[in-house]
Every structure is written in C-alpha cells, then in structure tokens.
DNA sequence: GCCAACGTTGGC
DNA sequence: GCCAACGTTGGC
C-alpha cells in the first residue's frame, strides 16, 4: 500500500463533497501536469490519498480518501466543452489520466499547513517547500503516521 | 537545445 | 491583490 497527497481547491472539490455521499465514487480528473500525472499512474487500488485544501481560508489536510480505480484516460481531455480539453490528446494516445476515489474520513479539523511545516517527518517534503506547485505527491509511512496522529489529537481533545 | 516570455499556482 | 516560483511554449 502506498500513500499520496492530492491538492484541490475546495470550491472545486473538497473533502465535504466526498463526505456527503460516502459511497460515491468520484473521478479525479483535470490534472494537467506531467509529474503529477506520472505519480497518478503509480497509484494502486487501495492506496490512501490525503486531501489537501489549497487557495482557501483553511489551507491544509482535510481528510482521507481511497483509490478505487487505478489510472485510466481522463475523459475531459477529449471533451471540447470542458475547461480541461486538450487538443493535443488523441483517443488512441491519451496524455492525461484520471483515478477514481472514495471517501474514508474527514478530519475533525483541517491540519493547517503551518502545523505540517513543524513536523520533522515533513522537513524535506515538497509540500512545505516554497513555490511548490505539485498537485500530487507521495507520502511516506512516517509522514502518514504524523498526519494521522495530528488528526486524531483533535478527536481525543473532544472527548 | 537554449532561453525569454508568458500563464498559472498558491501562500500570504 | 500581490508576488515569487514554477512549468510550458515558441522563436531562434
């Protein structure tokens, strides 16, 4: 099992969109960056994906979802009506891929970027690097542990 | 294959 | 809204 983190602007797709229909399978499409695409192609069914909210009021990791379908051609690249349309993509040779995701859990509180920056496990992670623009990044098991611990801390505080 | 110009991302 | 950092494009 591998772990990943994917960025999204919550206006477009947030952890709440997953949470409101937990059984729903949501297609993660529209990724138009080669490095991010390459990571998506490495994803396997069952992998866990941390959902990161960017460019919003509460920047940080908001919850967890699971890969339920590995990479397949992103249909939006062929759709001329889509903002993600790519005229250079041919159906027999697609450039971009999508994966399908399903809800696991929503964190009680978003783990703020500022908190992630203080985690030793994330010292050299691209997520906390200045100017980082990668929307899909791998997460180590140590980093996963650090995020889950932080997420559960809030839960225990509530009790 | 280089590199300047441009568009986009994303934190603040 | 600002601006730094980055990826992509296109002329040469």
């Amino acid at each position: 099992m591998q772990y990943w983190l994917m960025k999204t602007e919550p206006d477009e797709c947030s952890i709440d969109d997953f949470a409101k229909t937990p059984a729903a399978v949501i297609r993660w499409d529209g990724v138009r960056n080669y490095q991010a695409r390459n990571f998506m192609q490495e994803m396997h069914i069952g992998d866990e994906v941390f959902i990161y909210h960017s460019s919003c009021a509460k920047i940080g990791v908001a919850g967890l979802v699971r890969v339920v379908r590995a990479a397949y051609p992103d249909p939006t690249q062929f759709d001329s009506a889509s903002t993600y349309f790519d005229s250079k993509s041919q159906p027999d040779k697609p450039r971009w891929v999508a994966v399908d995701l399903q809800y696991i859990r929503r964190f009680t509180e978003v783990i703020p970027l500022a908190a992630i920056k203080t985690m030793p496990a994330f010292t050299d992670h691209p997520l906390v690097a200045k100017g980082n623009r990668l929307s899909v990044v791998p997460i180590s098991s140590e980093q996963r542990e650090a995020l889950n611990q932080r997420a559960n801390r809030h839960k225990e505080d509530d009790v």
Side-chain angles (χ1 to χ4, degrees), chain A residues 2 4-6 27-45 47 49 67 69-72 74 96-101 135-138:
Chain A
Q2 289 174 275
W4 308 91
L5 179 145
M6 290 173 119
R27 187 177 72 212
W28 198 272
D29 55 25
V31 172
R32 294 294 180 267
N33 170 285
Y34 288 106
Q35 215 180 334
R37 180 205 63 185
N38 294 344
F39 283 133
M40 287 172 79
Q41 286 172 332
E42 293 176 26
M43 291 181 177
H44 299 96
I45 291 176
D47 284 0
V49 180
V67 176
R69 183 179 172 190
Y72 59 97
D74 178 351
W96 308 112
V97 299
V99 295
D100 286 352
L101 303 173
S135 61
V136 183
V137 283

Side-chain angles (χ1 to χ4, degrees), chain A residues 108-135:
Chain A
T108 312
E109 289 179 31
V110 171
I111 304 174
L113 177 60
I116 298 168
K117 283 180 174 170
T118 69
M119 297 178 182
F122 276 90
T123 304
D124 292 320
H125 195 273
L127 183 66
V128 300
K130 197 181 174 184
N132 166 54
R133 304 174 58 176
L134 249 192
S135 61

